[in-house]
Amino acid sequence: IVLFLPVFCPTIGAHLTMLAKYSLFSLFSLGFNKLLTMLFYNKSRLIRRPFYIRGKKNINLGKGLTTGVGCRLDALPIINKTVISIGKNVQLNDYVHIGAIDSITIGNNVLIASKVFITDHNHGDYSKDNQENPNIFPSKRTLYSKAVSIQDNVWIGETVSILPGVTIGKGSIIGTMSVVTKDIPPYCIAVGSPAKVIKEYSFLSNRWEGV
């Protein structure tokens, strides 16, 4: 444990703060995960295990990424290309699931709470002329995709779902348990299922104001 401590904090005072904050087991686990991060994801800040990743070559992880336990990234492109791109200083908390076949882009300094689901695709099309027959097994239906973009400084609350074709504007906040089916403008707070904007930040008053 003592060997791992300097990885996190160079001073003795910081060592003592770390010891007070974590149990010995937690501290050892943190150090072990940090070591594995340095070996396998050296641009990242901390990848906590278990960490599930499919299609690693089709994923771009930005510098300073932090994850909780149980995060799952599935990059299964129809053609070989980067389909998940994560910016700098992004934090994904426990059990975040991101699945892409086309394009999911996450900007810089984004905070994503636990149990969030983000996808750019769906099994079947149910809105246009060539809709899927419900007698076809869901797993056999044609995959349809629309790009997802989450811009800089976005905060996404616990158990949110973000569906294909959505753009969430810079600095916006998505409330817990929301289902985002349409674009959210920059500097807004949106909640509900489907998510709707309830507040917008005014740079004149420096306040979040109801809409």
Side-chain angles (χ1 to χ4, degrees), residues 6 16-17 40 67 84 109 115 131 146 161 168 180 189 203:
L16 295 175
T17 301
F40 297 107
T67 76
I84 297 177
N109 309 311
K115 302 176 183 176
Q131 297 186 23
K146 291 183 179 179
S161 292
I168 300 177
V180 186
I189 297 176
F203 287 92

Side-chain angles (χ1 to χ4, degrees), residues 126-182:
Y126 308 96
S127 60
K128 298 180 181 179
D129 292 335
N130 299 318
Q131 297 186 23
E132 295 288 339
N133 187 321
N135 289 321
I136 300 174
F137 292 170
S139 62
K140 301 298 183 182
R141 297 174 194 173
T142 304
L143 288 175
Y144 290 87
S145 65
K146 291 183 179 179
V148 172
S149 176
I150 299 171
Q151 297 179 358
D152 296 350
N153 300 329
V154 166
W155 175 24
I156 299 171
E158 191 122 346
T159 66
V160 166
S161 292
I162 298 173
L163 302 186
V166 164
T167 293
I168 300 177
K170 184 176 181 180
S172 284
I173 300 169
I174 309 299
T176 183
M177 298 183 70
S178 296
V179 179
V180 186
T181 62
K182 296 182 179 179

Side-chain angles (χ1 to χ4, degrees), residues 57-96:
K57 68 178 182 178
N58 303 111
I59 299 173
N60 180 35
L61 300 179
K63 185 177 180 181
L65 175 66
T66 302
T67 76
V69 300
C71 285
R72 175 181 165 189
L73 305 182
D74 295 325
L76 304 172
I78 296 174
I79 60 173
N80 187 29
K81 64 174 185 175
T82 297
V83 294
I84 297 177
S85 181
I86 298 177
K88 297 178 181 178
N89 303 317
V90 171
Q91 182 171 333
L92 311 176
N93 282 288
D94 298 346
Y95 305 108
V96 169

Side-chain angles (χ1 to χ4, degrees), residues 1-57:
I1 294 171
V2 173
L3 292 176
F4 287 134
L5 283 173
V7 172
F8 301 100
C9 39
T11 66
I12 294 176
H15 289 181
L16 295 175
T17 301
M18 183 71 74
L19 285 171
K21 185 176 181 180
Y22 295 99
S23 68
L24 291 179
F25 176 80
S26 295
L27 193 59
F28 177 82
S29 177
L30 191 65
F32 181 70
N33 282 312
K34 180 63 177 179
L35 179 61
L36 292 180
T37 300
M38 294 170 65
L39 291 174
F40 297 107
Y41 300 96
N42 58 356
K43 291 195 303 180
S44 298
R45 177 178 172 270
L46 178 63
I47 304 293
R48 291 181 173 87
R49 267 55 177 187
F51 178 62
Y52 307 102
I53 187 167
R54 291 195 294 175
K56 183 178 179 181
K57 68 178 182 178

